Amino acid sequence: ASVSELRLLQPAYDGEWLTVETAPAPDDPTGRAFALSLRNEAGAELATLDTRLVTELPPVDERAAMTPAPAREAVPIGWDALRLGEPLCALSWAPTRAEHETWCDAAGDDLALFREGPAPRIQPGKVLQGANDVFRSNFVLNPWIHTGSRLIQRGPLRLGDAVEIRAMPIEKWERKGHQLVTLYVVFLNGGQ
């Protein structure tokens, strides 16, 4: 189990080679916390990830039990369409092996953990993409940027798992002429 904070600072571009620098977190004597930095070829820091392996997770958020909105077609995104505290339509999520391998190939990830066996773990970037997928399945989006995520991983997701993604807008604000939203997203694996 882990708790992670991802901050996306600048965009990365398709085909650009990226370097991940990993270091032990300076405030963790257990050796179970890490600070990662993602840099492009020019050395610009594009993202940071602070992650901790934990033996005790925070309690499950009560919003995980939300009842999703009834299925509907995606609607145009807009300030008024993002209703705080109202669940969005759920998304049944089942990446195929081919989709998953394409994702891993594009990410340059050849770890056996994400590729071998009848039900390999779903690569974490693909899981994060699932959070974007539930947003896109509810709204017709203008160009947008994912700026960060707080992730609590209670267990692995594997190819073939019965996963339902539920989401709810929980905060929205404007800054420097941009509209921002925070979504609470939960991945239910076999109802858990």
Side-chain angles (χ1 to χ4, degrees), residues 111-180:
L111 291 174
L113 175 72
F114 303 124
R115 293 180 177 263
E116 295 178 2
R121 287 184 180 207
I122 299 176
Q123 204 269 355
K126 183 68 173 166
V127 172
L128 196 55
Q129 185 63 48
N132 290 333
D133 291 345
V134 74
F135 194 47
R136 277 197 304 266
S137 72
N138 277 270
F139 298 104
V140 177
L141 298 172
N142 300 321
W144 64 291
I145 296 173
H146 180 175
T147 60
S149 293
R150 180 170 192 269
L151 308 153
I152 299 172
Q153 183 178 5
R154 297 181 181 282
L157 294 175
R158 297 181 179 279
L159 287 181
D161 284 348
V163 177
E164 181 182 71
I165 308 173
R166 297 179 183 179
M168 166 192 306
I170 59 172
E171 183 181 17
K172 62 182 181 178
W173 68 100
E174 292 192 51
R175 182 175 61 210
K176 298 180 183 177
H178 299 284
Q179 296 175 335
L180 297 105

Side-chain angles (χ1 to χ4, degrees), residues 24-37:
D27 64 340
D28 179 56
T30 68
R32 295 175 57 86
F34 304 92
L36 290 80
S37 176

